[in-house]
Amino acid sequence: MHPAMTLYETDFYAWVQQQANVLRTEEFEKLDLPNLIEELEAMALRDRRELTSCLIVLLMHLLRWQYQPTPQGRSQPRSWLNTITTQRHKIELILDDSPSLRRELSARIDYAYPRACLQASRKTGLSLTTFPSACSYTQEQILDHAFFPTAA
């Protein structure tokens, strides 16, 4: 191992265990603060990215539910229902674990919606202009397990 390399760079799992032990024993002077700060910030970004990813998938399926022609377009409605339900559960878990992300929900929906439209367009073959330019679902509807948009 190169002398300048740290445990953080060579064995992340061992580094995490070491840092946890340092905290547990309150030997704060031994903390690897620069890397610890970087990892904590990365954890917060991961939660936000996961929330956004779930919103994209959920919104895409809600759009498909609403705009894909029936009955042949909804050839897999049970699969769509399962995906919608799963994404709503994942979002609930994320928001339960990180309630402060609720403050970002509106911004995350605004970010996710055009990406969901693009995916819905590609999956359905419908023109991107088929879908509203702004999300027509409220936050409450998006998170409501009983909400399914009516066909367009």
Side-chain angles (χ1 to χ4, degrees), residues 11-36:
D11 189 340
F12 182 75
Y13 179 80
W15 174 82
V16 169
Q17 297 302 314
Q18 177 194 57
Q19 293 301 292
N21 190 52
V22 167
L23 286 167
R24 200 174 294 107
T25 59
E26 299 183 15
E27 298 175 83
F28 302 124
E29 70 282 353
K30 293 183 180 178
L31 285 172
D32 180 0
L33 286 177
N35 288 321
L36 196 54

Short mmCIF file of all heavy atoms in Angstrom, two decimals, residues 11-36:
data_model
loop_
_atom_site.label_atom_id
_atom_site.label_comp_id
_atom_site.label_asym_id
_atom_site.label_seq_id
_atom_site.Cartn_x
_atom_site.Cartn_y
_atom_site.Cartn_z
N ASP A 11 -10.01 0.23 1.92
CA ASP A 11 -11.01 -0.70 2.45
C ASP A 11 -12.12 0.11 3.10
O ASP A 11 -12.10 0.38 4.31
CB ASP A 11 -10.38 -1.66 3.45
CG ASP A 11 -11.32 -2.80 3.86
OD1 ASP A 11 -12.55 -2.66 3.68
OD2 ASP A 11 -10.82 -3.82 4.36
N PHE A 12 -13.09 0.50 2.28
CA PHE A 12 -14.15 1.39 2.75
C PHE A 12 -14.91 0.80 3.93
O PHE A 12 -15.19 1.49 4.91
CB PHE A 12 -15.11 1.72 1.60
CG PHE A 12 -16.20 2.67 1.98
CD1 PHE A 12 -15.94 4.01 2.14
CD2 PHE A 12 -17.50 2.21 2.18
CE1 PHE A 12 -16.95 4.91 2.51
CE2 PHE A 12 -18.52 3.09 2.55
CZ PHE A 12 -18.23 4.44 2.71
N TYR A 13 -15.26 -0.48 3.85
CA TYR A 13 -16.00 -1.12 4.94
C TYR A 13 -15.23 -1.04 6.25
O TYR A 13 -15.79 -0.67 7.29
CB TYR A 13 -16.32 -2.58 4.59
CG TYR A 13 -17.06 -3.29 5.69
CD1 TYR A 13 -18.43 -3.12 5.85
CD2 TYR A 13 -16.39 -4.14 6.57
CE1 TYR A 13 -19.12 -3.77 6.87
CE2 TYR A 13 -17.08 -4.78 7.59
CZ TYR A 13 -18.44 -4.59 7.73
OH TYR A 13 -19.12 -5.23 8.74
N ALA A 14 -13.94 -1.36 6.20
CA ALA A 14 -13.11 -1.30 7.41
C ALA A 14 -13.02 0.15 7.91
O ALA A 14 -13.04 0.39 9.12
CB ALA A 14 -11.72 -1.86 7.14
N TRP A 15 -12.95 1.09 6.99
CA TRP A 15 -12.89 2.51 7.38
C TRP A 15 -14.17 2.92 8.11
O TRP A 15 -14.12 3.58 9.14
CB TRP A 15 -12.68 3.40 6.15
CG TRP A 15 -12.74 4.87 6.44
CD1 TRP A 15 -11.74 5.65 6.93
CD2 TRP A 15 -13.88 5.72 6.26
NE1 TRP A 15 -12.18 6.95 7.07
CE2 TRP A 15 -13.49 7.02 6.68
CE3 TRP A 15 -15.17 5.53 5.81
CZ2 TRP A 15 -14.36 8.11 6.63
CZ3 TRP A 15 -16.05 6.60 5.77
CH2 TRP A 15 -15.64 7.87 6.19
N VAL A 16 -15.34 2.51 7.60
CA VAL A 16 -16.61 2.84 8.25
C VAL A 16 -16.64 2.25 9.66
O VAL A 16 -17.03 2.92 10.62
CB VAL A 16 -17.81 2.35 7.41
CG1 VAL A 16 -19.11 2.44 8.19
CG2 VAL A 16 -17.92 3.15 6.11
N GLN A 17 -16.25 0.99 9.78
CA GLN A 17 -16.23 0.35 11.09
C GLN A 17 -15.29 1.08 12.05
O GLN A 17 -15.62 1.30 13.22
CB GLN A 17 -15.81 -1.13 10.96
CG GLN A 17 -16.77 -1.97 10.14
CD GLN A 17 -18.17 -1.97 10.72
OE1 GLN A 17 -18.37 -2.13 11.91
NE2 GLN A 17 -19.15 -1.76 9.85
N GLN A 18 -14.13 1.47 11.54
CA GLN A 18 -13.16 2.21 12.36
C GLN A 18 -13.74 3.55 12.80
O GLN A 18 -13.63 3.92 13.97
CB GLN A 18 -11.87 2.43 11.56
CG GLN A 18 -10.84 3.26 12.29
CD GLN A 18 -9.75 3.75 11.36
OE1 GLN A 18 -10.05 4.43 10.38
NE2 GLN A 18 -8.51 3.39 11.67
N GLN A 19 -14.36 4.28 11.88
CA GLN A 19 -14.92 5.58 12.22
C GLN A 19 -16.06 5.44 13.24
O GLN A 19 -16.18 6.24 14.17
CB GLN A 19 -15.40 6.31 10.97
CG GLN A 19 -14.28 6.72 10.02
CD GLN A 19 -13.27 7.63 10.69
OE1 GLN A 19 -13.58 8.77 11.03
NE2 GLN A 19 -12.05 7.14 10.89
N ALA A 20 -16.87 4.42 13.11
CA ALA A 20 -17.94 4.17 14.07
C ALA A 20 -17.35 3.87 15.45
O ALA A 20 -17.84 4.37 16.47
CB ALA A 20 -18.82 3.01 13.60
N ASN A 21 -16.30 3.09 15.49
CA ASN A 21 -15.65 2.77 16.76
C ASN A 21 -15.03 4.02 17.39
O ASN A 21 -15.13 4.22 18.61
CB ASN A 21 -14.59 1.68 16.56
CG ASN A 21 -14.09 1.16 17.88
OD1 ASN A 21 -14.87 0.77 18.74
ND2 ASN A 21 -12.77 1.17 18.06
N VAL A 22 -14.42 4.86 16.57
CA VAL A 22 -13.83 6.11 17.07
C VAL A 22 -14.93 6.99 17.69
O VAL A 22 -14.75 7.57 18.76
CB VAL A 22 -13.07 6.85 15.94
CG1 VAL A 22 -12.74 8.28 16.32
CG2 VAL A 22 -11.80 6.09 15.57
N LEU A 23 -16.07 7.06 17.03
CA LEU A 23 -17.19 7.83 17.58
C LEU A 23 -17.71 7.19 18.87
O LEU A 23 -17.98 7.89 19.85
CB LEU A 23 -18.32 7.93 16.55
CG LEU A 23 -18.08 8.87 15.39
CD1 LEU A 23 -19.11 8.65 14.29
CD2 LEU A 23 -18.09 10.32 15.85
N ARG A 24 -17.84 5.88 18.85
CA ARG A 24 -18.34 5.16 20.02
C ARG A 24 -17.45 5.38 21.24
O ARG A 24 -17.93 5.54 22.36
CB ARG A 24 -18.43 3.67 19.69
CG ARG A 24 -19.33 2.86 20.57
CD ARG A 24 -19.49 1.41 20.09
NE ARG A 24 -20.19 1.32 18.81
CZ ARG A 24 -19.62 1.02 17.63
NH1 ARG A 24 -18.35 0.77 17.54
NH2 ARG A 24 -20.35 0.99 16.52
N THR A 25 -16.14 5.39 21.02
CA THR A 25 -15.19 5.55 22.13
C THR A 25 -14.84 7.01 22.39
O THR A 25 -14.02 7.31 23.26
CB THR A 25 -13.90 4.76 21.85
OG1 THR A 25 -13.31 5.21 20.63
CG2 THR A 25 -14.19 3.25 21.78
N GLU A 26 -15.48 7.89 21.61
CA GLU A 26 -15.31 9.35 21.77
C GLU A 26 -13.86 9.80 21.62
O GLU A 26 -13.42 10.74 22.27
CB GLU A 26 -15.92 9.82 23.09
CG GLU A 26 -17.40 9.56 23.17
CD GLU A 26 -18.05 10.07 24.44
OE1 GLU A 26 -17.43 10.89 25.16
OE2 GLU A 26 -19.19 9.65 24.72
N GLU A 27 -13.15 9.15 20.72
CA GLU A 27 -11.78 9.54 20.40
C GLU A 27 -11.82 10.45 19.16
O GLU A 27 -11.28 10.13 18.11
CB GLU A 27 -10.91 8.31 20.15
CG GLU A 27 -10.80 7.38 21.34
CD GLU A 27 -10.03 6.12 21.00
OE1 GLU A 27 -8.79 6.18 21.04
OE2 GLU A 27 -10.69 5.11 20.68
N PHE A 28 -12.45 11.60 19.33
CA PHE A 28 -12.78 12.47 18.21
C PHE A 28 -11.57 12.95 17.43
O PHE A 28 -11.66 13.22 16.23
CB PHE A 28 -13.61 13.66 18.70
CG PHE A 28 -14.89 13.23 19.38
CD1 PHE A 28 -15.17 13.63 20.67
CD2 PHE A 28 -15.80 12.40 18.74
CE1 PHE A 28 -16.34 13.23 21.31
CE2 PHE A 28 -16.98 12.00 19.37
CZ PHE A 28 -17.25 12.40 20.66
N GLU A 29 -10.44 13.05 18.08
CA GLU A 29 -9.22 13.50 17.38
C GLU A 29 -8.78 12.50 16.32
O GLU A 29 -8.02 12.84 15.41
CB GLU A 29 -8.09 13.76 18.38
CG GLU A 29 -7.50 12.54 19.04
CD GLU A 29 -8.33 11.93 20.18
OE1 GLU A 29 -9.35 12.52 20.59
OE2 GLU A 29 -7.96 10.85 20.64
N LYS A 30 -9.26 11.27 16.38
CA LYS A 30 -8.90 10.23 15.41
C LYS A 30 -9.86 10.17 14.22
O LYS A 30 -9.67 9.37 13.32
CB LYS A 30 -8.85 8.87 16.09
CG LYS A 30 -7.74 8.72 17.10
CD LYS A 30 -7.73 7.32 17.68
CE LYS A 30 -6.61 7.16 18.69
NZ LYS A 30 -6.63 5.81 19.28
N LEU A 31 -10.91 11.00 14.24
CA LEU A 31 -11.87 10.99 13.13
C LEU A 31 -11.21 11.47 11.84
O LEU A 31 -10.41 12.39 11.83
CB LEU A 31 -13.07 11.89 13.45
CG LEU A 31 -14.07 11.36 14.44
CD1 LEU A 31 -15.09 12.44 14.79
CD2 LEU A 31 -14.77 10.12 13.91
N ASP A 32 -11.58 10.82 10.77
CA ASP A 32 -11.15 11.22 9.42
C ASP A 32 -12.20 12.21 8.92
O ASP A 32 -13.07 11.88 8.10
CB ASP A 32 -11.06 9.98 8.54
CG ASP A 32 -10.63 10.27 7.12
OD1 ASP A 32 -10.39 11.44 6.78
OD2 ASP A 32 -10.57 9.30 6.33
N LEU A 33 -12.14 13.44 9.42
CA LEU A 33 -13.19 14.42 9.17
C LEU A 33 -13.43 14.73 7.70
O LEU A 33 -14.59 14.76 7.28
CB LEU A 33 -12.93 15.70 9.96
CG LEU A 33 -13.20 15.58 11.47
CD1 LEU A 33 -12.84 16.88 12.18
CD2 LEU A 33 -14.64 15.22 11.73
N PRO A 34 -12.41 14.97 6.89
CA PRO A 34 -12.70 15.30 5.48
C PRO A 34 -13.51 14.20 4.77
O PRO A 34 -14.49 14.47 4.09
CB PRO A 34 -11.32 15.47 4.84
CG PRO A 34 -10.41 15.79 5.99
CD PRO A 34 -10.97 15.06 7.17
N ASN A 35 -13.11 12.95 4.96
CA ASN A 35 -13.83 11.85 4.30
C ASN A 35 -15.18 11.59 4.96
O ASN A 35 -16.15 11.23 4.29
CB ASN A 35 -12.98 10.59 4.29
CG ASN A 35 -11.83 10.71 3.30
OD1 ASN A 35 -11.99 11.25 2.22
ND2 ASN A 35 -10.67 10.22 3.69
N LEU A 36 -15.26 11.77 6.27
CA LEU A 36 -16.53 11.59 6.98
C LEU A 36 -17.55 12.61 6.51
O LEU A 36 -18.71 12.28 6.24
CB LEU A 36 -16.29 11.70 8.48
CG LEU A 36 -17.36 11.18 9.41
CD1 LEU A 36 -17.74 9.75 9.12
CD2 LEU A 36 -16.92 11.33 10.86
#
